[in-house]
Amino acid sequence: DGVLCLPERTARLAGNNALDVFQRHREKELKERHKIYRWATWKEGLPLTIAAGSEDDLPANMRFHEEKRLDFEWTLKAGTLEMVLKRVYTLLSSWTSLEDFDLIFWGQKSPLAEKVHQCWRDDELFGYQFLNGANPMLLRRCTSLPTRLVLPSGMEELRAQLERELQNGSLFEADFILLDGIPANVIRGEKQYLAAPLVMLKMDPSGKLLPMVIQIQPPSPISPTPPLFLPSDPPLAWLLAKTWVRNSDFQLHQLQYHLLNTHLLAEVIAVATMRCLPGLHPVFKLLMPHIRYTMEINTRARTQLISDGGIFDKAVSTGGGGHVHLLRRALAQLTYRSLCPLDDLADRRLLGTPGALYACDALRLWEITARYVEGIVHLFYHGDDVVKGDPELQAWCREITEVGLPQAQERGFPVSFQSQNQLCHFLTMCVFTCTAQHGAINQGQLDWYAWVPNAPCTMRMPPPTTKEDVTMATVMGSLPDVRQACLQMAITWHLGRRQPDMVPLGHHKEKYFSDPKAKSVLNQFQTDLENLEREITARNEQLDLPYEYLKPSHI
């Protein structure tokens, strides 16, 4: 019952001729989009979001397609049913030994999850996860011993070992200090617990990353020299210390590196794109395939996962408000450099580390994505002055780094684009974050979190302060109960599984560009990705544990 006005497909930059029919069209389009796509504050001090109380409030173009919606909702129901069956199945059983987790370890699981189930107690697999597990973002190579690592007298041998590894450049750390002082959840009247551990690891000559010492809590006035746990300790004490680290990694992985650094950032990019770039703009055409469904999945997360009474409140130790505190802290650390793999891996001194498969694949994907972005940008921006003089592009930049991400320019984000290079780098970051980085962070949930003791969502007893008193009852009393464990398995399968309507990177069906030159840039991108796929497949055939998350066909 109305007129729909569609421009042809050729990408073009804004002109300054007010009489130009295309110029009038793009101005009118942005005016309408400003009314439809509005910013909202989910929680003070966090990135802004799309204004939508539920997914039904979203603009129709941003909604899941019908098959996607049905699949998403049905698998959630199937997961809930599986959870109920597991609960019933375990009602008659005791919950007193680690083997009792086998009672719920059935249903949807991957071959790697089975391997984790078999080997999760091994120090080697514990260390491996910092390089290539669900969260490869925290590990860094040491340049000095951390100040928080207070070594009491009698530990001279350990100090000498640490110093030796430091001299060799083979000493690494994973510090969870961001969790220090975050309030822990209360689930069904039961207090849960959080810690802020520090792990020191060494890389042996064969390339294995092995833990040397774990400090579960940082020094405090009450405990100036907190206990240190060692591989030579009684086996259950050492296992419990490692389990505390894995629980802390679950929190930072899900909240800082998954929710904030990929989902919420992608949403800021998506909303800014809809508000500032008309459909004719080449950057709109470049970004659109990579922000599909971002607004709906995030809106559903805010109403079901991290909402009051949502999954986090029901089963995760940072739920009940701690997660919001943690996100605020994490945002203060979200620098522009941390989103660009070459800078991030250099800052963490991991470039060239043997066996760092995430690092290796991420760098290759960044390079391939950058070549694609540069190819498109150079077709439309023939010099730095064209970049500087594009008002829509400059407004889009400000919308992201001044409006959507509060105070981002203080953390190295650009507030305007002054050159082709600066624009290409930023766009590469946008595409990489929404595609490859999310793939690396999301897919591992299926493998590493299905066996709950390897990454417990919550801990139900305070961290141990002595080693001799740790019994199997302490370990089982600390790990999630049946209800929480079932919920963890169901939700990580639901979120980490391969989506049936997944479109692999570079293979979107919509033809946004009509220019033959732009098409050949996309074709080259697809060829580069196919070559990388072959390289990764060949490499993985030589490995005991293949690293699949950054295979282009999985992204």
Side-chain angles (χ1 to χ4, degrees):
D1 59 354
V3 175
L4 185 62
C5 204
L6 296 172
E8 47 119 7
R9 205 164 64 198
T10 311
R12 52 180 77 214
L13 298 175
N16 48 15
N17 177 2
L19 298 173
D20 176 13
V21 59
F22 288 111
Q23 190 57 30
R24 288 207 308 273
H25 180 275
R26 64 203 299 152
E27 285 166 9
K28 181 167 171 255
E29 182 184 19
L30 287 183
K31 210 170 180 177
E32 284 168 7
R33 292 234 217 106
H34 266 232
K35 292 177 198 156
I36 301 170
Y37 297 92
R38 297 187 324 281
W39 292 109
T41 301
W42 174 58
K43 299 283 181 192
E44 280 302 326
L46 291 182
L48 298 188
T49 67
I50 184 73
S54 77
E55 60 270 20
D56 297 330
D57 301 336
L58 288 168
N61 285 344
M62 294 296 125
R63 295 298 312 270
F64 286 172
H65 289 163
E66 188 62 4
E67 297 113 74
K68 164 86 173 172
R69 185 184 66 77
L70 288 172
D71 169 75
F72 191 89
E73 288 169 2
W74 273 108
T75 48
L76 204 50
K77 289 189 174 89
T80 310
L81 176 64
E82 188 176 293
M83 208 162 76
V84 171
L85 291 173
K86 286 174 176 174
R87 298 276 316 284
V88 170
Y89 184 54
T90 51
L91 279 178
L92 306 171
S93 331
S94 63
W95 194 252
T96 51
S97 79
L98 289 163
E99 286 65 45
D100 293 337
F101 278 96
D102 287 328
L103 296 171
I104 61 167
F105 193 64
W106 51 268
Q108 309 285 345
K109 57 177 184 281
S110 66
L112 181 50
E114 190 48 62
K115 170 100 178 169
V116 173
H117 173 214
Q118 303 299 330
C119 308
W120 71 284
R121 299 178 195 224
D122 299 354
D123 285 359
E124 189 185 332
L125 197 69
F126 175 82
Y128 175 90
Q129 291 179 69
F130 288 106
L131 280 174
N132 306 315
N135 179 20
M137 304 309 294
L138 195 69
L139 186 76
R140 49 180 61 238
R141 191 187 301 264
C142 295
T143 49
S144 59
L145 290 184
T147 48
R148 67 170 275 189
L149 185 68
V150 183
L151 295 170
S153 59
M155 288 231 167
E156 288 72 22
E157 168 78 15
L158 175 65
R159 180 180 288 282
Q161 282 175 347
L162 290 165
E163 294 283 4
R164 201 161 47 243
E165 298 297 339
L166 186 62
Q167 296 309 314
N168 293 340
S170 51
L171 186 67
F172 295 80
E173 65 177 275
D175 191 348
F176 296 86
I177 196 68
L178 206 65
L179 286 161
D180 189 33
I182 296 286
N185 201 356
V186 175
I187 301 176
R188 306 176 101 194
E190 258 191 61
K191 186 166 166 40
Q192 310 295 297
Y193 295 89
L194 283 166
L198 169 72
V199 196
M200 304 302 295
L201 307 104
K202 64 176 179 187
M203 186 161 276
D204 75 4
S206 69
K208 287 177 189 161
L209 193 62
L210 299 169
M212 295 176 73
V213 57
I214 293 172
Q215 181 196 59
I216 299 182
Q217 291 283 43
S220 67
I222 304 160
S223 172
T225 49
L228 300 177
F229 291 79
L230 307 168
S232 54
D233 287 342
L236 283 178
W238 177 237
L239 185 67
L240 185 57
K242 288 192 294 182
T243 305
W244 269 102
V245 172
R246 300 294 314 128
N247 163 262
S248 304
D249 201 35
F250 180 101
Q251 314 304 322
L252 291 195
H253 166 246
Q254 292 291 23
L255 292 167
Q256 181 175 15
Y257 297 108
H258 187 193
L259 176 63
L260 176 67
N261 291 17
T262 65
H263 278 262
L264 296 182
L265 181 60
E267 186 172 1
V268 169
I269 295 164
V271 176
T273 300
M274 297 312 290
R275 285 174 60 83
C276 299
L277 299 176
L280 283 166
H281 201 289
V283 172
F284 178 89
K285 291 170 179 285
L286 175 75
L287 291 175
M288 269 316 274
H290 310 298
I291 51 180
R292 174 176 180 244
Y293 295 160
T294 298
M295 293 184 201
E296 174 146 354
I297 194 68
N298 285 10
T299 302
R300 283 176 180 263
R302 283 189 289 275
T303 55
Q304 295 165 21
L305 196 64
I306 47 175
S307 53
D308 292 341
I311 307 268
F312 258 69
D313 284 7
K314 284 180 181 152
V316 182
S317 47
T318 43
H323 58 312
V324 180
H325 288 277
L326 186 59
L327 286 165
R328 285 193 189 112
R329 279 189 192 178
L331 181 60
Q333 288 192 358
L334 179 58
T335 62
Y336 187 29
R337 286 180 69 84
S338 71
L339 298 168
C340 306
L342 193 56
D343 297 329
D344 172 59
L345 292 163
D347 291 347
R348 296 194 285 136
R349 292 175 287 282
L350 294 183
L351 291 170
T353 303
L357 305 174
Y358 159 79
C360 172
D361 295 354
L363 289 171
R364 290 282 283 115
L365 272 157
W366 174 274
E367 184 190 311
I368 289 168
T369 305
R371 196 176 312 149
Y372 169 56
V373 167
E374 283 157 20
I376 296 288
V377 165
H378 288 152
L379 289 178
F380 298 95
Y381 294 93
H382 300 301
D384 295 347
D385 52 337
V386 188
V387 171
K388 284 186 217 170
D390 181 347
E392 291 167 343
L393 183 74
Q394 300 296 348
W396 175 75
C397 179
R398 287 193 303 275
E399 194 83 1
I400 292 173
T401 64
E402 286 189 344
V403 182
L405 288 175
Q407 286 95 46
Q409 52 279 35
E410 291 167 19
R411 300 189 301 280
F413 286 84
V415 71
S416 66
F417 299 125
Q418 297 300 309
S419 68
Q420 287 173 317
N421 283 353
Q422 196 186 12
L423 170 61
C424 289
H425 194 74
F426 190 81
L427 287 173
T428 304
M429 180 277 291
C430 291
V431 175
F432 182 86
T433 296
C434 297
T435 58
Q437 185 61 18
H438 179 261
I441 294 294
N442 182 60
Q443 295 172 59
Q445 299 179 89
L446 207 57
D447 299 322
W448 299 100
Y449 290 0
W451 178 248
V452 172
N454 183 60
C457 54
T458 191
M459 298 294 264
R460 297 180 297 131
M461 284 172 73
T465 47
T466 60
K467 303 172 184 187
E468 288 64 38
D469 307 341
V470 177
T471 63
M472 183 52 79
T474 325
V475 174
M476 289 303 287
S478 300
L479 287 171
D481 63 24
V482 181
R483 189 168 178 278
Q484 296 158 342
C486 289
L487 199 51
Q488 173 174 328
M489 285 186 74
I491 203 67
T492 51
W493 172 72
H494 180 59
L495 297 177
R497 73 200 168 95
R498 190 184 174 100
Q499 305 293 324
D501 65 335
M502 183 273 231
V503 177
L505 178 60
H507 290 276
H508 46 278
K509 303 285 181 289
E510 304 83 4
K511 295 183 171 64
Y512 283 101
F513 290 99
S514 59
D515 179 354
K517 287 180 185 162
K519 286 179 179 170
S520 78
V521 172
L522 179 60
N523 290 341
Q524 184 59 51
F525 184 43
Q526 292 170 346
T527 305
D528 289 348
L529 291 169
E530 280 156 23
N531 291 338
L532 178 61
E533 180 91 12
R534 279 194 290 275
E535 284 171 36
I536 292 176
T537 303
R539 175 202 68 198
N540 282 349
E541 280 165 5
Q542 312 299 312
L543 298 172
D544 291 339
L545 285 182
Y547 185 75
E548 305 259 310
Y549 307 141
L550 288 178
K551 260 188 165 175
S553 62
H554 288 208
I555 296 169

